[in-house]
Amino acid sequence: MAEPVKVPDNGAGEHARGLFLVLEGGEGVGKTTQWTRLADTLRAVGHDVVAVREPGGTAAGDAIRALLLDPASELAPESEALLFAASRAQLVRDVVIPALGRGAVVLVDRFLLSTYAYQGAGRGLAESSLRAVNTLATQGVAPDLTLLLSVPAEVAQARLEVRGPADRMEQEDASFHQRVREAFDAALAADWQAAHPEIGPVMAIDADRPVDVVTVRCLEALVAQWPVRFASAATAALSAL
Ligand code: T5A
């Protein structure tokens, strides 16, 4: 059972600076669906939302994304990790830091936790190496909250089969994806989070529910941490059900 998440008070008050929110989880859990819905819901009640995905979110990042996901790309694990970090570095410098500086809500589909899960647990690269490279990439910017979506493996698989051809990462075998899932689960433990301040707090969201219900759960998680900022968004989402 995951420990309850306590987001540290940044001391600046709820509205005084931007918020950096991340959606994470294995393939097919519904992150991208919720990323779109959360961005739309928050914008509809007046929030300045910058929604970007990793890898990608900049011109350089989108080119790197195409290389990383192309099944024809032959990449060593180290090259793969450096390319994810390169995309992240561009995104943080060009998009995340400026948006946080003007007080926006930055909503990212995947971030550094994915590197620990896929390149660390999945590929077997040392976490210390990944941390070092990504300290350069993130400039020390850590998420305020990560919502970790999860569904049973067979549910994710069924969703992906409906969606179409698998990309380079999705083509990895079942044991790779099992290690990735276990790494995400491990990130829910309080002692893991205490040892990984660069990830920030991680909260579990049961995503094996209808799309609308998962959206409400995500919004409720935000309201629990920042009640003033997000109450009207949650009310709007609930009334639309
Ligand atoms: N990666 C990424 C790394 O290895 N290291 C890193 O550091 C980073 C940042 C990115 C790949 O790169 C890897 C991880 C990934 O393998 P991607 O295309 O962005 O590639 O892959 P994902 O983020 O995994 O996106 P997916 O689209 O594959 O999965 P999602 O976003 O979890 O799922 P989504 O929302 O697209 O939904 C999948 C299907 O399920 C349906 C949707 O309609 C869709 O058809 N669905 C639901 N159906 C029923 N009920 C619900 N609640 C549903 N929610 C969605």
Side-chain angles (χ1 to χ4, degrees):
M1 184 65 184
E3 303 280 341
V5 169
K6 176 80 180 83
V7 174
D9 181 358
N10 65 27
E14 271 199 41
H15 290 282
R17 71 162 180 83
L19 276 183
F20 185 13
L21 308 175
V22 177
L23 290 168
E24 285 279 14
E27 270 96 349
V29 297
K31 292 174 309 304
T32 307
T33 302
Q34 296 303 326
W35 172 71
T36 306
R37 293 172 65 88
L38 285 173
D40 290 348
T41 304
L42 295 178
R43 285 184 184 126
V45 293
H47 288 276
D48 175 6
V49 179
V50 175
V52 281
R53 66 179 176 178
E54 276 212 344
T58 64
D62 287 340
I64 293 169
R65 178 184 177 89
L67 178 62
L68 278 165
L69 299 187
D70 184 350
S73 297
E74 292 181 12
L75 295 171
E78 295 80 5
S79 312
E80 181 183 285
L82 290 166
L83 286 167
F84 279 114
S87 172
R88 183 165 300 135
Q90 200 70 41
L91 185 73
V92 168
R93 179 177 287 273
D94 290 355
V95 178
V96 176
I97 290 177
L100 291 176
R102 69 164 195 263
V105 175
V106 178
L107 185 60
V108 185
D109 187 350
R110 296 192 181 279
F111 198 63
L112 178 53
L113 181 53
S114 276
T115 290
Y116 286 169
Y118 286 82
Q119 283 65 56
R123 300 286 189 221
L125 295 179
E127 191 179 276
S128 55
S129 303
L130 297 173
R131 181 181 285 118
V133 166
N134 279 281
T135 299
L136 181 66
T138 65
Q139 303 184 44
V141 175
D144 289 295
L145 183 63
T146 293
L147 300 178
L148 178 59
L149 276 58
S150 63
V151 299
E154 59 277 13
V155 173
Q157 188 56 36
R159 288 182 187 175
L160 289 177
E161 279 167 13
V162 170
R163 208 190 45 185
D167 65 33
R168 195 178 65 86
M169 303 300 293
E170 289 166 356
Q171 286 180 355
E172 288 298 327
D173 64 20
S175 67
F176 176 92
H177 289 291
Q178 179 62 24
R179 292 195 298 281
V180 168
R181 265 193 302 279
E182 287 169 4
F184 279 129
D185 288 347
L188 291 169
D191 56 352
W192 191 96
Q193 292 178 31
H196 297 81
E198 70 278 19
I199 299 297
V202 183
M203 181 181 285
I205 300 287
D206 175 4
D208 190 14
R209 295 287 181 276
V211 169
D212 286 344
V213 174
V214 181
T215 304
V216 168
R217 287 189 174 179
C218 291
L219 285 165
E220 286 172 348
L222 299 186
V223 173
Q225 303 297 341
W226 298 283
V228 178
R229 196 162 188 156
F230 292 120
S232 57
T235 305
L238 276 169
S239 62
L241 280 182

